[in-house]
Amino acid sequence: MMKIKKISLGILVVLMAFVSSCRDFVEPNVPYSEFDTALYLRTIRAASTNSLTFNFFNLPNSRFNVTVESVDAEEGTTVETVEVRIRHRRLIPGVGLEYTPAQSGGQRQEVTVATISGSEFTQSPENRFKRAVIDIPAATMIQAVGLTADEIEGGDVFEVRLYATDRFGRTFGPDNRSSDVAGGIFYDSPFLYNVEVICPLSDGYGLGQYQLEQTGGPGDPFFGNATRFVEEVVTLAEGNTSIARTFTVNYLGGFTTRPFTIVFSCGLVLKPEESAGAGCGGTTIFWESDNDNLAEYDLDDDSVIQVFFIDDTESSCGITDPIEFTLTKI
């Protein structure tokens, strides 16, 4: 019988002290694929004006807004322009992803919706670098890709990509930055923002205690439990967006205890990819929804929530199966 292994993630915490000059402690010697010392645009997540979603019920007043900080070897002063390019994406169940503009020759096609000049970057109030606010109304983005507001659907996504050119003629963007630059705790410079058209939830929706039951799918193949997930009371809390909910599950009789996230996407319940914290061999077990089989939800009633997803999507342990959860509010 195949052996399952628990995967431990070691966390290394490094304490860093600020010197008296209050210089930023992350130097711009970042690992790009083409350059050693470069330029990146740090996302200022705490900015009060940030808006990274569009309200399906209020598109005329929705906008993309993000504050970015230019970081380079010359205190953020080498940036010449930041070009903002976009495309529209829609998931069609049973078909796949549809893009506007459509791909050509297998290549991504985008339209430029704005260009930010280096002169628009001003001194950060917190450090030695420069910041700028990128602000684009939803209506402008919809028009730029050749659509109308009536053609927009809940769950649609606008991919917003930033391309920063410095005075040396070098361009930095989502295609030549490394994963460290994109998601590193200090860099946080993805150059890509997926702006989803959401249906906002009412206050308190899908929050609090629920009884979790596995109402579909096979049992535990390793320890003989009747279900792969322990049936118990769980507490749903808001996730990293206003339409995400996170709770804790016990997998394979409690062999691992992991966070579990769901997203309410304009009538459909999505399960983003997450790790089970266990696996057989080199690949971990992942959970993720099947876009051809998604549960629906009622915007006006959160008493019962269903979640459909696939266990072991990469077949780490050869136990790839559809699973159904039923969450009943207590």
Side-chain angles (χ1 to χ4, degrees):
M1 181 177 177
M2 189 174 290
K3 294 183 179 179
I4 187 168
K5 300 178 181 179
K6 186 179 296 187
I7 298 172
S8 298
L9 297 178
I11 300 176
L12 175 64
V13 179
V14 180
L15 299 178
M16 304 183 72
F18 289 107
V19 295
S20 59
S21 62
C22 295
R23 291 178 62 85
D24 191 283
F25 52 81
V26 181
E27 290 300 325
N29 296 319
V30 295
Y32 280 81
S33 60
E34 302 171 21
F35 312 105
D36 294 324
T37 300
L39 161 72
Y40 64 93
L41 299 175
R42 178 186 296 147
T43 305
I44 306 302
R45 300 286 176 182
S48 60
T49 60
N50 283 354
S51 175
L52 303 178
T53 59
F54 292 160
N55 184 341
F56 177 68
F57 304 120
N58 191 15
L59 285 175
N61 292 315
S62 295
R63 58 200 316 111
F64 168 72
N65 184 295
V66 66
T67 298
V68 295
E69 186 171 84
S70 173
V71 183
D72 58 30
E74 299 184 33
E75 302 186 347
T77 62
T78 68
V79 61
E80 288 282 313
T81 61
V82 176
E83 188 178 1
V84 185
R85 302 180 198 166
I86 65 170
R87 73 171 173 175
H88 172 268
R89 184 179 81 215
R90 176 175 295 162
L91 174 65
I92 302 176
V95 177
L97 293 172
E98 177 185 78
Y99 297 101
T100 307
Q103 296 190 145
S104 177
Q107 298 298 309
R108 182 177 72 232
Q109 301 298 305
E110 302 167 327
V111 295
T112 298
V113 71
T115 300
I116 311 301
S117 169
S119 63
E120 296 180 57
F121 282 77
T122 58
Q123 186 63 51
S124 165
E126 299 174 6
N127 56 42
R128 59 191 167 116
F129 297 112
K130 307 287 186 180
R131 291 183 182 181
V133 176
I134 300 173
D135 184 81
I136 306 170
T140 300
M141 293 172 63
I142 293 170
Q143 183 180 33
V145 296
L147 298 174
T148 67
D150 290 340
E151 294 176 289
I152 300 301
E153 298 180 2
D156 285 359
V157 174
F158 285 86
E159 300 174 357
V160 181
R161 290 179 172 84
L162 308 182
Y163 298 85
T165 300
D166 66 13
R167 69 166 177 264
F168 309 109
R170 304 178 302 175
T171 298
F172 307 97
D175 299 317
N176 66 351
R177 56 97 180 111
S178 74
S179 58
D180 290 335
V181 173
I185 187 170
F186 298 118
Y187 300 119
D188 194 7
S189 181
F191 288 93
L192 168 64
Y193 302 90
N194 289 306
V195 182
E196 186 175 358
V197 180
I198 69 169
C199 298
L201 303 173
S202 58
D203 290 344
Y205 189 96
L207 296 173
Q209 290 192 323
Y210 281 79
Q211 177 65 46
L212 167 64
E213 297 177 275
Q214 181 186 316
T215 49
D220 177 352
F222 294 102
F223 304 107
N225 299 298
T227 58
R228 293 189 184 180
F229 292 83
V230 175
E231 299 185 331
E232 58 188 332
V233 175
V234 296
T235 301
L236 274 62
E238 186 170 311
N240 59 1
T241 70
S242 63
I243 58 172
R245 299 292 182 264
T246 301
F247 52 98
T248 300
V249 296
N250 283 293
Y251 183 55
L252 302 177
F255 184 70
T256 65
T257 299
R258 304 292 293 180
F260 192 96
T261 302
I262 59 176
V263 176
F264 295 102
S265 181
C266 292
L268 298 174
V269 181
L270 308 181
K271 168 75 195 89
E273 182 181 81
E274 286 180 312
S275 169
C280 301
T283 305
T284 188
I285 294 173
F286 289 105
W287 307 316
E288 188 175 17
S289 55
D290 175 358
N291 291 327
D292 294 329
N293 182 33
L294 298 172
E296 298 181 352
Y297 70 95
D298 186 341
L299 267 172
D300 299 317
D301 184 3
D302 66 348
S303 58
V304 177
I305 299 168
Q306 288 188 298
V307 185
F308 302 162
F309 66 100
I310 304 297
D311 182 22
D312 195 13
T313 58
E314 302 298 319
S315 197
S316 169
C317 295
I319 56 171
T320 304
D321 287 296
I323 303 291
E324 296 181 11
F325 280 175
T326 298
L327 295 161
T328 304
K329 199 161 197 174
I330 297 175

